Amino acid sequence: MRSKANFKTHPIHPMLIGFPISFFYGALIFDVLSLVLNKPLFFSIAYVMSICGIVSGLLAAIPGIVDYMYTVPPKSSAKKRASKHGLINSSALLLFLISIAVRSGESPAYYLLIIELAGVVCITIGGWLGGTLVYRNQIGVDIRYADAGKWKEVNANPILNNQEVGTIGELMNNQMKLIHLDGKRIVLARTQNGFVAFDDHCTHKGGSLAGGALICDTVQCPWHGSQFNVKTGEVTAGPATKGIKTYKVEIKDGKLFLQS
Ligand code: FES
């Protein structure tokens, strides 16, 4: 599922998250050192690091929110995981904000270290969940199977375009295109036997089928490998047990129209 917040196809959120993680760990380490070594300079460095951590965390959150809204498949296990990821990381920012507010004197109080430690624990758990979102749920991964062509994704306006979703020349065999239509995510695909359309929602845990592989009228979900017949919607291999909804595609004057 290609990231919506990307720079030349590279997702921006993972590029930025190293900064708040490093600054928050650094702030805690310098505060501990300032207490142990009695060095007020280290206490000031920790203060600056806390501010940098919050600012960089807020910046990293912007592409993260864009991906949460537009890249993570709705009603999926990844959406729940991404919600937890966002909440835990927000807690880390809040804890470091509190640590700045209660910071005073020339060395850290014990309660300040406890607040920072809690913030560091939160950012670590948030990072762990973020890793699962990328490495297991493939959020932001631009998957390209052989001959599957480039990732295609469009917003179609059903009223203006009368359900027009593409043209016959734009897809090669076994290439898919993700269409946002009327609040739904529908995959338009070309197979050896013509054009097909089906819901972009694996009935197992909500994986995006547009990010999977299509071959011989079968689409395979990228998360756990469930397979569906794209003409009938039937499950041909589990773990999914329920079929997917399919739609009729009509061709008129070289244009493709979706019939519900
Ligand atoms: S979400 Fe598990 S196989 Fe699709």
Side-chain angles (χ1 to χ4, degrees):
M1 281 138 276
R2 185 166 167 180
S3 167
K4 277 279 187 184
N6 69 73
F7 177 71
K8 291 186 181 288
T9 77
H10 290 258
I12 297 170
H13 184 60
M15 288 184 208
L16 300 179
I17 50 169
F19 292 99
I21 293 174
S22 308
F23 283 128
F24 288 156
Y25 267 88
L28 177 62
I29 290 167
F30 272 95
D31 267 337
V32 170
L33 287 176
S34 91
L35 189 69
V36 173
L37 304 175
N38 194 21
K39 294 249 186 200
L41 175 64
F42 287 177
F43 186 58
S44 302
I45 291 173
Y47 172 62
V48 174
M49 284 191 145
S50 298
I51 293 173
C52 291
I54 289 167
V55 173
S56 57
L58 288 172
L59 285 176
I62 296 168
I65 291 168
V66 172
D67 279 343
Y68 177 78
M69 291 172 68
Y70 301 108
T71 306
V72 181
K75 296 182 193 157
S76 67
S77 57
K79 198 74 167 183
K80 287 184 199 150
R81 187 170 286 122
S83 303
K84 279 189 212 158
H85 169 74
L87 275 176
I88 291 172
N89 285 337
S90 304
S91 306
L93 291 187
L94 190 64
L95 284 161
F96 270 89
L97 205 58
I98 294 169
S99 80
I100 288 172
V102 299
R103 188 177 271 273
S104 63
E106 294 202 327
S107 71
Y110 283 109
Y111 63 80
L112 174 67
L113 295 179
I114 290 168
I115 294 169
E116 286 181 342
L117 181 63
V120 162
V121 168
C122 283
I123 202 88
T124 305
I125 297 171
W128 178 278
L129 290 171
T132 310
L133 283 165
V134 173
Y135 298 114
R136 194 189 299 162
N137 296 134
Q138 304 171 15
I139 305 301
V141 177
D142 190 359
I143 306 159
R144 292 185 191 177
Y145 295 104
D147 300 328
K150 276 192 173 178
W151 176 257
K152 283 180 182 269
E153 184 168 354
V154 292
N155 291 305
N157 186 324
I159 297 162
L160 278 183
N161 298 336
N162 192 23
Q163 311 272 53
E164 183 190 329
V165 287
T167 54
I168 50 170
E170 68 176 292
L171 291 178
M172 300 181 301
N173 269 350
N174 296 326
Q175 188 174 10
M176 296 186 273
K177 170 173 155 180
L178 178 59
I179 296 161
H180 298 267
L181 181 74
D182 214 7
K184 284 190 206 158
R185 289 163 62 115
I186 296 172
V187 183
L188 175 72
R190 183 176 197 153
T191 71
Q192 287 84 348
N193 301 314
F195 290 93
V196 291
F198 49 90
D199 272 345
D200 179 51
H201 181 87
C202 174
T203 53
H204 179 226
K205 290 198 174 182
S208 166
L209 297 174
L214 175 67
I215 191 159
C216 297
D217 288 336
T218 297
V219 67
Q220 176 168 298
C221 175
W223 285 2
H224 313 100
S226 290
Q227 295 181 351
F228 303 89
N229 181 308
V230 291
K231 285 203 281 193
T232 63
E234 284 168 353
V235 179
T236 53
T241 54
K242 202 172 147 217
I244 52 171
K245 184 170 177 193
T246 57
Y247 304 83
K248 241 177 133 183
V249 179
E250 257 187 22
I251 304 173
K252 273 186 224 157
D253 302 330
K255 291 178 181 167
L256 304 171
F257 294 86
L258 210 59
Q259 308 294 312
S260 43

